[in-house]
Amino acid sequence: GNDQVTWETGTKRNIGFDARMLKDNLKLTVDFFDETRRDILTQSLSGLALFGHTYPNLNKGIVYNKGYEVELDYQKQVGAITLGLNAQVSYAKNKILENDEPDGLPFSVARKGQRVGQFFGYKTDGFYQSAADIAASPKLQGYSPIPGDLKMKDLDGDGVVTSLDQDKIGYSNTPEYVYSFSPRVIYKGFTLSVLFQGVANVSS
């Protein structure tokens, strides 16, 4: 058992407003929010690694989230037909403030200050054009490229491409933007509506 484990805690703030205009035909709702979540159960990364000893998970993680939500709805009577449109967009982004990482980690390893679930990998610089191009480029650890292979960037400048040359690429698999719009037609008690939905700033 681990008697040091406790609950996560969060401090949330929210401010919003609603507006109705054009004789209630146009409705607008806007919300802004942020949250600081503390005491997240995470691996102990800063402790001294001793042979035969592993540290338990502890409540050391802190993540900050912020974003907004906007909803717009418009409806207009045209003769016996009512036309309407609902549109929504939400944005949410998080950042790791604390995860018990020791200071001074290489950028390829450090996750503090990044999104939760941020993808990391090698960045490319085109393709190897020839054997001479390969000879003049940084070496790849454990791999012998041939012309036509992707050329990886040596981000730390030590002349060898290793796992320490990985950097953040793209986003996480959780979208930052979620949006939708839904037109509708109402006629004599019958409603026809269609929903279009999408996401942005997401990698998979």
Side-chain angles (χ1 to χ4, degrees), residues 18-29 71-76 85 184:
D18 296 305
R20 297 191 176 201
M21 299 164 280
L22 303 177
K23 297 180 180 180
D24 276 356
N25 287 328
L26 179 62
K27 300 175 184 178
L28 175 66
T29 302
E71 180 178 2
L72 184 69
D73 191 274
Y74 180 75
Q75 185 164 292
K76 180 69 174 179
L85 175 66
R184 63 183 180 272

Side-chain angles (χ1 to χ4, degrees), residues 83-140:
L83 302 176
L85 175 66
N86 182 276
Q88 300 182 34
V89 60
S90 65
Y91 169 80
K93 184 176 181 179
N94 59 50
K95 180 169 68 172
I96 299 172
L97 300 184
E98 179 58 59
N99 61 350
D100 197 41
E101 285 181 351
D103 295 332
L105 288 179
F107 61 85
S108 59
V109 178
R111 297 297 182 265
K112 192 182 300 183
Q114 305 295 340
R115 300 177 184 87
V116 175
Q118 170 69 53
F119 287 104
F120 277 72
Y122 297 99
K123 294 192 173 182
T124 60
D125 189 22
F127 298 88
Y128 292 109
Q129 303 298 315
S130 62
D133 186 18
I134 294 173
S137 299
K139 306 305 178 186
L140 297 179

Side-chain angles (χ1 to χ4, degrees), residues 19-198:
R20 297 191 176 201
M21 299 164 280
L22 303 177
K23 297 180 180 180
D24 276 356
N25 287 328
L26 179 62
K27 300 175 184 178
L28 175 66
T29 302
V30 180
D31 281 289
F32 297 92
F33 63 87
D34 75 347
E35 177 185 13
T36 301
R37 184 167 290 275
R38 301 175 181 274
D39 300 321
I40 299 172
L41 194 64
T42 186
Q43 278 186 293
S44 298
L45 302 176
S46 63
L48 180 64
L50 300 176
F51 179 77
H53 177 76
T54 58
Y55 290 89
N57 292 341
L58 296 174
N59 299 90
K60 292 189 175 184
I62 304 174
V63 173
Y64 177 70
N65 302 271
K66 66 177 180 179
Y68 59 82
E69 297 177 350
V70 179
E71 180 178 2
L72 184 69
D73 191 274
Y74 180 75
Q75 185 164 292
K76 180 69 174 179
Q77 187 79 29
V78 181
I81 298 176
T82 301
L83 302 176
L85 175 66
N86 182 276
Q88 300 182 34
V89 60
S90 65
Y91 169 80
K93 184 176 181 179
N94 59 50
K95 180 169 68 172
I96 299 172
L97 300 184
E98 179 58 59
N99 61 350
D100 197 41
E101 285 181 351
D103 295 332
L105 288 179
F107 61 85
S108 59
V109 178
R111 297 297 182 265
K112 192 182 300 183
Q114 305 295 340
R115 300 177 184 87
V116 175
Q118 170 69 53
F119 287 104
F120 277 72
Y122 297 99
K123 294 192 173 182
T124 60
D125 189 22
F127 298 88
Y128 292 109
Q129 303 298 315
S130 62
D133 186 18
I134 294 173
S137 299
K139 306 305 178 186
L140 297 179
Q141 188 179 53
Y143 178 69
S144 298
I146 61 175
D149 285 348
L150 282 171
K151 184 189 297 186
M152 306 299 177
K153 288 185 177 181
D154 176 23
L155 298 182
D156 62 6
D158 65 354
V160 182
V161 177
T162 67
S163 60
L164 295 179
D165 292 298
Q166 294 187 10
D167 199 2
K168 61 180 181 180
I169 52 175
Y171 301 92
S172 73
N173 59 5
T174 301
E176 290 183 352
Y177 288 97
V178 178
Y179 55 88
S180 68
F181 64 95
S182 178
R184 63 183 180 272
V185 178
I186 303 173
Y187 178 71
K188 291 186 177 181
F190 293 93
T191 301
L192 173 64
S193 63
V194 182
L195 175 65
F196 299 90
Q197 192 173 43

